[in-house]
Amino acid sequence: MCGIVGYVGGEDASDVLLDGLKRLEYRGYDSAGVAVLNGPVLDIRRSVGKLHNLDVLLKKSPLAGHVGIGHTRWATHGRPSEENAHPHRDASGRVVVVHNGIIENYSALKAGLQARGVKFESQTDTEVIAHLVGEAIARRKKKDAPLAPEDFLEAVRETLSELKGTYALGIITADCPGVIVGARRECPLLVGIGEKEYFLASDAPAILSRTRHAVFLNDGDMALLSSDGVKLFSAETGLPVERKTTHLPWDPLQAEKAGYRHFMLKEIHEQPRAIEDCLRGRLNVDEIRVHLDTLRLSEEQIKAFRKITIVACGTSYHAGLLARYLIEKWVKAPCDVEIASEYRYRDPLVGPEDLVVAISQSGETADTIAAIRHAKEKGARTLAICNVIGSTLYRESHGKILTHCGPEIGVASTKAFSSQVVVLYLLALYGALLRGSLPRPDVEKIMQNLLHLPHWVGEALKCEPATIALAKKYFHSRNFLFLGRNLNYPIALEGALKLKEISYIHAEGYPSGELKHGPIALIDEDMPVIAVATQGRVYDKILTNLEEVAARGGRVIAVATQGDTRISALTPDVLWMPDMPESMAPAVNVVPLQLLSYHIAVLRGCDVDQPRNLAKSVTVE
Ligand code: AGP
């Protein structure tokens, strides 16, 4: 959570930092701040609330200088307030720190500092770092001489050795003008290499408008940025380390709103293109082959796996639930799907004969990373499905498949979900081909369907006016029930998650067969029931469930197949989907649910792209 930006270059640092923070605001948005060095003069501006407030403050009270660090916060320790906003200073005011992550032993460190007479300004865990670095610098400083960059680095390195927990750090000091020191442990941090300018950032979108060359720090790496360039070191040994430069594949324009009112709406509409990008070069229908070049699993390994376990959180977990149906049906292999935060603390029966697949848009979700590490320790082969090249999950997993949907900025995941689903279709097909578990004509048909999927998703987007009308009818409702069955059950869960996270309406997703086992007691006219009921093998079953709802005065909103007269006889509130093969339906049916949630949230005046209490990537436990 939280966003970090650092800048060393020829331009006005506060402008560059603010621009970078705007592009990272999705990571946290309860307060923000910047610190800029003007020669040896170090100054800070911080404000509570959205970045706009910091912008206003900087206009009133500008900061001059070409070196600085900035932060947008998602509170962990201490409520959102000006004192708790980053950057945090040491007692002398000559050292400032921005930090993502959690310092687990901060209470003990704070007690030690207080015993030495240090006064604290904030309730944060971060402030201890500023004081400790300040003390370490004081021990190295020679009278009337600036601190050498190597000594600054050593002072930070000494401090790191005292910290327990996780961090991405950016630190500057008035004692060493022109230098930023960065460090990483279990929180993402990268360095951007521009034209005579260098950046520190927690996420690539912060630097995309200035450079697409990035070096991703490994855990235990430190970075020293100055106008001379960037040097990397090991925090453990202090010796230089080499990391390769990655070309970021994202177009900077993809991180702009492009005329849409919200990123979420833009990203919903980008789905046909995102699916095309995800499929590009991966299907060869003529030869009936699936190309997954970075899978790094031999044919023998794929054939031999005893079981596939999928670990993920939130929306990515819903993609995993869908994958289980595909893997069982097409690959004919056992598949478990686990919530990563639970899996990491269990003692799962997993070993070298298993494949553990982690699904994560960001590739930085702490629980998913921990789950994959847990599986690796037990000898399992691991595979990451993620959207961010160079992310922790991407680097730590044996194999990887990128979803290629471009940067997703809206906190509520939409196009990332569709592209995850597409990768999972590809993975299941790949496995089915290698294991010979699906007749080749069936594989060919599915391939053709996949190539047609962007068109069906485009057709689904045409229901937006109907979702607006339904949003107007239902946005005052306080509870919603989402029903789906079989392949559409994960879609019902995803619809409920979308609605609750951006509109703050209570919503629950259920397999419709469970209705009679409890939830039917909730049905009345104040509990709209949204049912995903397109044609397929369980269509009749779900229709029966909906009749039971209608018979009890419940109001049904159905996602159904164009021309379905049985549905239109049941309810006037239908979102019509194109006629499509059942196996493709989930990737299409999610679209009207995303649109409906979006328009309900807009009508309720909610902040769609930055919903309360949420952050885009959950990098702490
Ligand atoms: C999605 O709308 C949510 N914001 C959230 O559930 C998200 O999917 C989850 O935190 C997992 O993120 P990841 O895909 O980056 O791992």
Side-chain angles (χ1 to χ4, degrees):
M1 348 274 276
C2 311
I4 287 179
V5 190
Y7 177 73
V8 177
E11 292 194 25
D12 195 274
S14 70
D15 286 349
V16 179
L17 295 173
L18 199 65
D19 181 66
L21 290 178
K22 280 181 186 158
R23 296 164 198 278
L24 287 192
E25 204 178 8
Y26 63 95
R27 287 192 59 109
Y29 31 83
D30 57 46
S31 54
V34 292
V36 172
L37 270 169
N38 191 3
V41 178
L42 175 57
D43 217 341
I44 290 184
R45 300 285 181 274
R46 301 184 296 197
S47 66
V48 190
K50 295 284 178 86
L51 212 49
H52 170 75
N53 298 345
L54 181 66
D55 199 355
V56 171
L57 180 66
L58 281 166
K59 285 205 172 78
K60 258 197 255 158
S61 173
L63 288 174
H66 303 293
V67 178
I69 52 179
H71 190 268
T72 175
R73 180 171 185 247
W74 187 93
T76 56
H77 296 69
R79 66 188 168 84
S81 66
E82 204 255 314
E83 320 76 73
N84 288 335
H86 297 219
H88 289 287
R89 319 168 248 241
D90 78 326
S92 71
R94 297 179 68 77
V95 176
V96 298
V97 174
V98 290
H99 166 223
N100 290 354
I102 292 177
I103 304 305
E104 287 162 8
N105 60 337
Y106 88 98
S107 299
L109 294 170
K110 186 170 180 175
L113 283 156
Q114 282 170 327
R116 299 198 285 278
V118 174
K119 298 259 178 308
F120 277 73
E121 284 184 346
S122 75
Q123 289 90 50
T124 65
D125 53 335
T126 304
E127 194 182 338
V128 297
I129 305 172
H131 292 299
L132 290 170
V133 174
E135 288 186 343
I137 285 177
R139 286 194 285 277
R140 285 168 173 80
K141 226 160 69 176
K142 295 187 184 71
K143 208 166 169 266
D144 299 330
L147 190 73
E150 303 73 47
D151 289 332
F152 178 21
L153 187 88
E154 275 304 302
V156 175
R157 199 164 84 80
E158 184 186 318
T159 301
L160 297 183
S161 68
E162 295 190 56
L163 304 181
K164 290 203 175 81
T166 60
Y167 49 74
L169 292 170
I171 306 175
I172 54 177
T173 174
D175 290 315
C176 189
V179 173
I180 302 176
V181 170
R184 157 187 175 140
R185 187 198 285 164
E186 293 187 27
C187 281
L189 195 63
L190 61 89
V191 167
I193 315 287
E195 283 289 316
K196 295 192 184 141
E197 55 181 12
Y198 307 96
F199 305 85
L200 190 69
S202 53
D203 265 74
I207 62 165
L208 274 183
S209 63
R210 320 268 318 186
T211 178
R212 289 169 77 175
H213 299 293
V215 179
F216 291 89
L217 269 64
N218 280 357
D219 277 343
D221 284 354
M222 299 180 73
L224 194 139
L225 287 74
S226 70
S227 54
D228 295 336
V230 175
K231 293 180 191 151
L232 299 180
F233 300 88
S234 154
E236 196 186 339
T237 63
L239 296 173
V241 290
E242 295 279 328
R243 304 281 172 242
K244 71 173 176 22
T245 304
T246 303
H247 177 75
L248 299 169
W250 293 344
D251 180 335
L253 285 177
Q254 289 180 310
E256 308 281 346
K257 276 192 203 152
Y260 283 91
R261 184 167 169 198
H262 294 102
F263 277 110
M264 182 182 176
L265 188 61
K266 171 180 171 252
E267 288 158 3
I268 291 172
H269 280 273
E270 278 177 343
Q271 288 177 110
R273 200 264 315 137
I275 293 172
E276 269 168 26
D277 287 350
C278 182
L279 286 170
R280 186 161 298 120
R282 287 172 165 171
L283 280 183
N284 184 333
V285 188
D286 293 336
E287 293 175 20
I288 316 213
R289 283 177 66 120
V290 178
H291 298 285
L292 295 173
D293 298 338
T294 47
L295 197 58
R296 297 198 190 132
L297 295 170
S298 69
E299 295 194 5
E300 286 63 41
Q301 279 172 316
I302 295 213
K303 282 181 194 158
F305 283 130
R306 179 181 63 173
K307 191 177 71 184
I308 298 169
T309 302
I310 297 176
V311 290
C313 304
T315 289
S316 299
Y317 170 70
H318 297 153
L321 287 178
L322 174 62
R324 177 165 57 196
Y325 292 90
L326 305 175
I327 289 168
E328 285 174 354
K329 197 170 161 64
W330 296 349
V331 190
K332 313 260 187 281
C335 178
D336 284 345
V337 189
E338 305 259 7
I339 289 180
S341 54
E342 287 298 310
Y343 183 83
R344 64 182 290 188
Y345 289 114
R346 292 207 353 255
D347 202 4
L349 298 174
V350 66
E353 54 291 333
D354 294 315
L355 174 65
V356 178
V357 180
I359 309 174
S360 171
Q361 185 283 131
S362 60
E364 298 294 354
T365 300
D367 286 320
T368 311
I369 293 168
I372 215 81
R373 286 180 183 156
H374 193 45
K376 267 171 99 175
E377 272 164 27
K378 287 175 171 275
R381 198 79 192 159
T382 56
L383 171 66
I385 294 177
C386 70
N387 191 37
V388 182
I389 192 167
S391 60
T392 306
L393 203 63
Y394 180 88
R395 286 179 297 141
E396 290 198 11
S397 303
H398 297 116
K400 34 218 127 204
I401 311 178
L402 282 172
T403 46
H404 288 313
C405 72
E408 189 181 67
I409 310 288
V411 166
S413 193
T414 53
K415 65 174 181 173
F417 175 76
S418 320
S419 58
Q420 287 167 348
V421 166
V422 169
V423 163
L424 290 161
Y425 280 125
L426 293 173
L427 187 62
L429 274 189
Y430 186 82
L433 277 171
L434 285 186
R435 289 189 176 217
S437 50
L438 206 58
R440 286 174 77 82
D442 292 8
V443 176
E444 188 180 348
K445 187 69 211 153
I446 297 169
M447 284 181 164
Q448 277 158 350
N449 289 340
L450 275 173
L451 292 172
H452 207 64
L453 189 56
H455 169 77
W456 286 315
V457 171
E459 288 295 299
L461 284 166
K462 291 183 185 161
C463 77
E464 185 165 13
T467 62
I468 295 172
L470 287 177
K472 285 181 183 154
K473 187 167 170 185
Y474 286 101
F475 78 100
H476 288 303
S477 300
R478 300 175 58 155
N479 300 285
F480 279 81
L481 190 60
F482 284 71
L483 298 179
R485 197 153 187 177
N486 199 250
L487 290 170
N488 282 319
Y489 165 51
I491 302 307
L493 292 179
E494 177 57 10
L497 178 63
K498 283 293 83 88
L499 186 66
K500 78 180 88 161
E501 68 182 337
I502 60 167
S503 72
Y504 321 140
I505 294 174
H506 170 240
E508 286 192 60
Y510 260 97
S512 66
E514 273 291 289
L515 194 63
K516 285 205 268 292
H517 300 284
I520 199 163
L522 297 169
I523 301 296
D524 64 17
E525 60 182 19
D526 295 327
M527 167 74 97
V529 174
I530 302 188
V532 191
T534 44
Q535 293 298 323
R537 60 198 267 254
V538 292
Y539 167 78
D540 285 331
K541 309 276 175 205
I542 192 159
L543 203 75
T544 307
N545 296 139
L546 297 185
E547 272 155 6
E548 289 157 4
V549 170
R552 282 155 184 84
R555 294 192 291 167
V556 174
I557 300 168
V559 175
T561 307
Q562 196 72 49
D564 182 341
T565 49
R566 289 170 72 192
I567 286 281
S568 48
L570 190 87
T571 174
D573 296 335
V574 188
L575 295 166
W576 295 113
M577 295 296 101
D579 192 6
M580 65 200 145
E582 183 182 6
S583 61
M584 297 294 117
V588 179
N589 291 343
V590 74
V591 172
L593 303 187
Q594 296 166 342
L595 285 169
L596 185 61
S597 301
Y598 170 81
H599 287 293
I600 287 177
V602 168
L603 285 171
R604 290 170 69 93
C606 299
D607 190 341
V608 175
D609 281 337
Q610 291 160 5
R612 70 181 181 206
N613 305 337
L614 296 179
K616 183 70 183 161
S617 40
V618 184
T619 53
V620 295
E621 244 192 290

